[in-house]
Amino acid sequence: MASHGFWSLGGDNAGANTGSQSPSTPRAWCQAAAQKLSGGIGSKLCALLNVGEVEKAAEPGAKQPPETAAGTCGCNKSCNCTKAAVGFSDLYSTDLLPATDGDTKTMTFLQEVVDILLAYIVESFDRETKVIDFHYPNELLQMNNWELQDEPATLDDILISCRATLKYAIKTAHPRYFNQLSTGLDMVGLAADWLTSTANTNMFTYEVAPVFVLLEYVTLKKMREIIGWPDGRGDGIFSPGGAISNMYAMLLARFKMFPEVKEKGMSSVPRLVAFTSEHSHFSIKKGAAALGIGTESVICIKLNHEGFVPFFVSATAGTTVYGAFDPLIAISDICKKYNIWMHVDGAWGGSLLMSRRHRWKLDGVERANSVTWNPHKMMSVPLQCSALLVREEGLMQNCNQMHACYLFQQDKHYDLSYDTGDKALQCGRHVDIFKLWLMWRAKGTIGFEAQIDKCLELSEYLYNKIKDREGYEMVFDGKPQHTNVCFWYLPPGIRYMEDKEERKKHLHKVAPVIKARMMEYGTTMVSYQPQGDKVNFFRMVISNPAATFEDIDFLIEEIERLGQDL
């Protein structure tokens, strides 16, 4: 029989202790959890999840539960919890493992940390809570002592710091947080992140990260198959974000055309130029600057630069602001004709390859030499998780390897192709793969597809709701290609202004004021920006799996409420 999911913990024997309650109810689950989970975690989850029962108990005449005796763990039952015996006001980090007899103190301390995290997680998904408890920087500095001291703090102080940090953190998992391309919080991904930190290893060799190296190999191959490269052949790596993935691609393109640049530098090659679309990500220029190519050598419009050698074309699949997709087939035809490296920056839009309904927007991606794909955006993998996929196998190794003999000995007793560190620019490389791999196992490809389709459905709902609504103007004509919905809100006071320049001047101030009010009230967050000659507009993006149609309705109503007097 299929599991009941979150509530199935009490399904076995809850009936013996809960009378007529169904074992699938929160109350029955809580009672079972209090018995099965150590350290009082179960009872604390009950307090978080069983809010209605707590409120009922507070009513006049209601029977009150017995008070917890001072100095107990809070389980309200006989138990062997060690919490009561451990206080943190006189303990320090040196009392935790690997200290002698530090195991009990360590377990108790970490259980306290987990309690803090679980409370924050549950609160983050509650629409009645604020997205942000906003304070200005000087206020936040004065309210808490963030300074580093010479003397160690007690573990009690450490726990206080943990609570304070989350109190003022942005709840990026909140269903009404729409501010960035990376939103939401996946529970399996979170568990994977915890496990990754616990393993605390480096991705440079198989000998120190055997499972993670294999999972990276398997997952990158699967992603190359989805792109459309035969049998998933090629190469790739997980990097610290899309900007670094894009720079990797530019680095490989330069090496492919001029391999001597690795040893002799830029003085050995002609003046290079790269081409990209006008609305491409700024990381293309940043990468050119870092590689010594120069930002002036990144051409965003058609120009005839005599004597310059084109070596790299970056097409964008899902621009950051408009969510637009470049015509990849036409671009690939040009790149093939002139033998130029074609890169697809799919940091934002690459995940649409998982959707049978929307992958046509990336038609031609299989003809690219390299692709950037950020699962930490539309797939909601916890930050950071960015992949560079490369069609030519071995090129990354030839481009970047330095043969550090203290790491990459050639006489090891296993297949050296699994020592992936020498093809990376980094030496120390974080394990980013496990979050994506475990989520993929939990959801399956069809689960990711449903999640992505839902976000695009929500964006279409928003577009249809405001495109003809009084007080709204769309920034560009036509239905958005991605979940980016760009619009102006015109308060009643400026809707009928006849002076176009005066109207434009006033409109430029509207989005920043509404955004500031959103943050001060803490109700929602959505981004805004100018673009070219266009004054500030809202850029709504939807990648949060927790968002619903009701949340979209709320956003519209909140914008109107906060901006009606402007």
Side-chain angles (χ1 to χ4, degrees), residues 107-334:
M107 289 293 293
T108 309
F109 171 72
L110 290 180
Q111 285 173 1
E112 284 286 347
V113 174
V114 169
D115 288 349
I116 294 169
L117 297 178
L118 291 176
Y120 180 79
I121 291 166
V122 173
E123 188 180 58
S124 292
F125 288 95
D126 183 357
R127 288 173 174 80
E128 298 302 315
T129 64
K130 290 183 175 183
V131 176
I132 174 177
D133 183 3
F134 179 76
H135 293 78
Y136 289 98
N138 61 320
E139 295 175 338
L140 205 52
L141 283 170
Q142 293 171 8
M143 289 166 59
N144 296 274
N145 180 15
W146 307 104
E147 297 299 323
L148 297 172
Q149 310 294 336
D150 291 336
E151 296 300 318
T154 66
L155 293 183
D156 202 33
D157 291 331
I158 296 304
L159 292 171
I160 289 171
S161 294
C162 290
R163 294 186 186 95
T165 299
L166 289 179
K167 173 176 171 55
Y168 301 111
I170 312 301
K171 294 183 178 67
T172 57
H174 198 289
R176 292 170 180 170
Y177 175 79
F178 305 106
N179 205 64
Q180 308 299 145
L181 303 184
S182 304
T183 62
L185 182 62
D186 186 272
M187 296 301 102
V188 173
L190 176 63
D193 217 2
W194 289 353
L195 186 147
T196 297
S197 293
T198 303
N200 191 32
T201 193
N202 199 317
M203 284 294 290
F204 46 39
T205 62
Y206 177 84
E207 67 181 275
V208 299
V211 176
F212 297 135
V213 166
L214 293 178
L215 296 184
E216 185 172 72
Y217 171 83
V218 168
T219 306
L220 289 171
K221 184 176 185 292
K222 180 70 172 180
M223 295 172 81
R224 292 192 297 266
E225 289 174 355
I226 291 173
I227 287 172
W229 293 337
D231 300 320
R233 290 194 297 269
D235 207 343
I237 199 167
F238 282 88
S239 73
I244 302 301
S245 293
N246 287 339
M247 188 176 74
Y248 264 119
M250 188 175 287
L251 179 70
L252 294 174
R254 185 179 65 179
F255 178 79
K256 177 71 174 176
M257 185 172 284
F258 298 104
E260 65 271 21
V261 75
K262 179 178 177 179
E263 294 181 353
K264 298 180 179 178
M266 285 297 292
S267 62
S268 66
V269 301
R271 175 74 183 273
L272 304 178
V273 291
F275 293 88
T276 191
S277 58
E278 183 182 3
H279 297 297
S280 65
H281 196 263
F282 67 84
S283 61
I284 302 301
K285 286 190 173 182
K286 184 169 283 191
L291 295 176
I293 295 166
T295 59
E296 290 185 357
S297 295
V298 177
I299 310 302
C300 297
I301 54 176
K302 294 179 180 179
L303 292 173
N304 181 17
H305 285 265
E306 198 170 318
F308 291 0
V309 177
F311 79 107
F312 179 82
V313 171
S314 178
T316 307
T319 58
T320 304
V321 181
Y322 293 158
F325 290 76
D326 286 340
L328 303 184
I329 293 176
I331 293 171
S332 66
D333 287 340
I334 295 171

Side-chain angles (χ1 to χ4, degrees), residues 19-31:
S20 60
Q21 294 180 66
S22 166
S24 63
T25 63
R27 184 179 178 86
W29 183 91
C30 287
Q31 292 184 0

